[in-house]
Amino acid sequence: MMSSMSWVQALQEVEKAGRAWVIATVIGTQGSAPRESSSKMIITEEHSFDTIGGGQLEYAVCQKARAMLQDAASPSHVLENFPLAAKTNQCCGGTVSVLLEYFPEPANKITIFGMGHVATTLVNVLGNMQAKISWVDSRENLAQEHNIKGLPSNVTPYLYESMLEHIDHMSHNEIALVMTHDHALDYQLVEALLDRKDCRFIGLIGSKTKALRFKKRLVSASFSQAEIDSVHCPVGLNEIAGKKPFEIAISISGQIIQITQTKAETKKGSGLTWKEINNVLSEEKAHI
């Protein structure tokens, strides 16, 4: 489905939503072509934004982009040459070279339960990460306040009658941070997160006394010792002390950064050499 949104507006939206996307850029034309060089569009699995000329050219580009989105082994860059008459049955008669750049969904997904002072500071710190962050609460006044103020582009607020509802919408391997205003709710959230058995990390804000009390209750609830030990409470780095919201938020951020700093895998053929670009442009000229 095509949207009237410009590619610049779409870029902000897809990044905020934490979705995979491809940006298609016309980098060269020869002869008659529907759009000039530097024209861009953004393609997701369901939508396309802006245009590089429409017609069969755009259809072919979208098909190629969606094939990249569906294949985890796709290279991050592909340069394609489109002779309009031969390849797309368009009457323009020229050729168009299009660079397709693939941006996968962020590997790191974080859910923060609670919109209190510490969580508000934490969100602004983690907003600088390459991560998709869900921020959850049941208090309408806080959810509205944060929507009005604006949030980092990678943060999406959610309002539920009960925060427990969000757990069914979480992805596999998420980082969960439990920091609500209610100890009883904190415990219910921890139990429900452990029941999922697929969280990458569960962090619980609180004191050592709270941690001991929760661990005793989790033993009574028949969780294994390994499952109980997977709940990090107090969450945050031991090396960073302090009780002020910004100190706690920095401590938690440090721990999250620590567990997410895995060596990024470089895709084979992720870049284009000058020779590859020259070959495509030479092919383009040959069709004139």
Side-chain angles (χ1 to χ4, degrees):
M1 182 185 298
M2 185 172 180
S3 169
S4 59
M5 194 181 293
S6 73
W7 72 267
V8 176
Q9 294 169 317
L11 178 58
Q12 296 173 334
E13 290 298 317
V14 295
E15 284 191 326
K16 182 175 180 179
R19 303 181 63 189
W21 51 281
V22 170
I23 185 166
T25 306
V26 176
I27 65 166
T29 64
Q30 291 286 335
S32 179
R35 290 292 302 275
E36 66 280 1
S37 292
S38 80
S39 297
K40 300 178 187 291
M41 68 182 297
I42 285 179
I43 303 119
T44 67
E45 287 192 356
E46 299 89 13
H47 301 283
S48 62
F49 305 89
D50 222 321
T51 180
I52 57 170
Q56 289 299 309
L57 166 65
E58 196 163 289
Y59 176 78
V61 168
C62 287
Q63 291 294 98
K64 178 66 179 179
R66 288 183 177 124
M68 294 171 72
L69 289 167
Q70 291 166 11
D71 183 359
S74 291
S76 59
H77 299 72
V78 171
L79 185 58
E80 287 256 339
N81 181 49
F82 295 90
L84 299 179
K87 214 168 186 179
T88 64
N89 296 318
Q90 289 185 225
C91 59
C92 300
T95 61
V96 177
S97 294
V98 179
L99 176 64
L100 295 109
E101 299 172 88
Y102 167 55
F103 295 86
E105 192 173 287
N108 297 314
K109 296 182 182 179
I110 304 169
T111 291
I112 301 171
F113 294 94
M115 292 184 177
H117 296 302
V118 175
T120 299
T121 307
L122 178 63
V123 157
N124 287 315
V125 177
L126 295 181
N128 295 288
M129 282 185 65
Q130 288 290 322
K132 180 180 178 180
I133 301 173
S134 301
W135 197 15
V136 181
D137 210 298
S138 56
R139 294 168 288 179
E140 189 171 355
N141 61 319
L142 289 181
Q144 287 179 345
E145 179 185 337
H146 290 300
N147 265 319
I148 292 167
K149 284 184 177 179
L151 292 168
S153 61
N154 63 342
V155 178
T156 304
Y158 292 92
L159 177 67
Y160 295 95
E161 188 172 336
S162 167
M163 292 188 221
L164 290 162
E165 294 176 49
H166 185 77
I167 291 178
D168 289 337
H169 301 286
M170 291 174 64
S171 303
H172 171 73
N173 205 38
E174 278 204 40
I175 293 167
L177 299 172
V178 179
M179 42 205 315
T180 82
H181 58 292
D182 184 336
H183 281 215
L185 176 59
D186 282 352
Y187 180 79
Q188 290 176 324
L189 286 165
V190 168
E191 264 202 338
L193 290 165
L194 286 174
D195 281 336
R196 281 185 61 98
K197 302 190 185 300
D198 66 351
C199 289
R200 180 176 179 184
F201 177 91
I202 300 173
L204 172 65
I205 196 167
S207 63
K208 291 181 179 178
T209 302
K210 179 179 177 180
L212 288 171
R213 188 179 301 124
F214 273 42
K215 286 187 177 184
K216 286 180 181 178
R217 290 184 67 185
L218 291 170
V219 169
S220 300
S222 299
F223 288 102
S224 70
Q225 191 59 49
E227 288 172 324
I228 293 169
D229 290 342
S230 72
V231 179
H232 299 260
C233 182
V235 64
L237 296 174
N238 294 327
E239 296 83 357
I240 302 177
K243 295 183 179 180
K244 295 178 181 177
F246 87 91
E247 293 170 330
I248 300 170
I250 293 299
S251 173
I252 296 170
S253 299
Q255 189 172 31
I256 298 306
I257 292 167
Q258 196 175 66
I259 65 173
T260 57
Q261 278 186 339
T262 54
K263 191 174 181 180
E265 291 183 4
T266 304
K267 287 188 175 186
K268 186 178 181 180
S270 59
L272 291 167
T273 66
W274 69 267
K275 187 174 181 181
E276 289 173 308
I277 295 173
N278 189 54
N279 287 343
V280 173
L281 294 178
S282 297
E283 182 185 346
E284 179 182 280
K285 290 178 183 179
H287 284 88
I288 301 299

